[in-house]
Amino acid sequence: MPAWFDRLRSGGLSARDAAFDRDEPVRAAAARMFGLSASLQRSLALDASPLVRTVLAGRSDLDSRAADMLCANNDVRVLRVMAGRSDLSDGQKAQLAEIRDARVLESLGLHDAAAFLDSLPFAPAPRAPKRGLFG
């Protein structure tokens, strides 16, 4: 068995230890753990792994600040999961509406915009992330 799987299977890892483990599958498991604290959710929202952030985005009890961080993510897989949530704030919806991805827009109910993107020969380039105070 892989060492990371043995650590998971043993059940001896705390949520904190799992959230900061060196192995991506262990951190992804941490993102699913019941009762994960808001501070650990915010830490995992900044994880380098899109897998960990995507799993975290699917939590039913996602912390609102972690949700804000995930809505500002640059990985479309994370953004697609976030767009499918029913508990987004108006600000989070507005932020996601700027994403140039048909599946994100469709999940937000922006069917005409999604259909337009789908009609293009290929997806437009993502917008460059804002830099500094005035973008």
Side-chain angles (χ1 to χ4, degrees), residues 14-75:
S14 69
R16 181 168 189 69
D17 289 343
F20 295 104
D21 196 88
R22 70 182 177 276
D23 288 309
E24 180 183 42
V26 176
R27 296 192 314 277
R32 286 184 176 160
M33 286 182 171
F34 177 77
L36 191 66
S37 71
S39 63
L40 285 178
Q41 288 184 37
R42 289 190 296 269
S43 293
L44 289 171
L46 297 173
D47 195 278
S49 166
L51 173 64
V52 172
R53 297 189 313 268
T54 301
V55 171
L56 181 68
R59 289 186 69 89
S60 62
D61 64 343
L62 186 62
D63 172 70
S64 63
R65 285 176 42 200
D68 287 340
M69 296 162 74
L70 292 171
C71 284
N73 201 277
N74 62 357
D75 191 286

Side-chain angles (χ1 to χ4, degrees), residues 49-118:
S49 166
L51 173 64
V52 172
R53 297 189 313 268
T54 301
V55 171
L56 181 68
R59 289 186 69 89
S60 62
D61 64 343
L62 186 62
D63 172 70
S64 63
R65 285 176 42 200
D68 287 340
M69 296 162 74
L70 292 171
C71 284
N73 201 277
N74 62 357
D75 191 286
V76 72
R77 296 166 292 191
V78 175
L79 298 172
R80 287 174 178 167
V81 173
M82 288 304 296
R85 296 184 63 91
S86 62
D87 59 349
L88 295 172
S89 70
D90 289 341
Q92 291 165 339
K93 288 177 188 174
Q95 187 172 8
L96 290 169
E98 296 300 319
I99 302 303
R100 296 176 184 171
D101 180 78
R103 287 176 52 192
V104 168
L105 298 177
E106 188 68 38
S107 292
L108 293 171
L110 303 171
H111 307 294
D112 291 342
F116 174 75
L117 288 180
D118 276 339

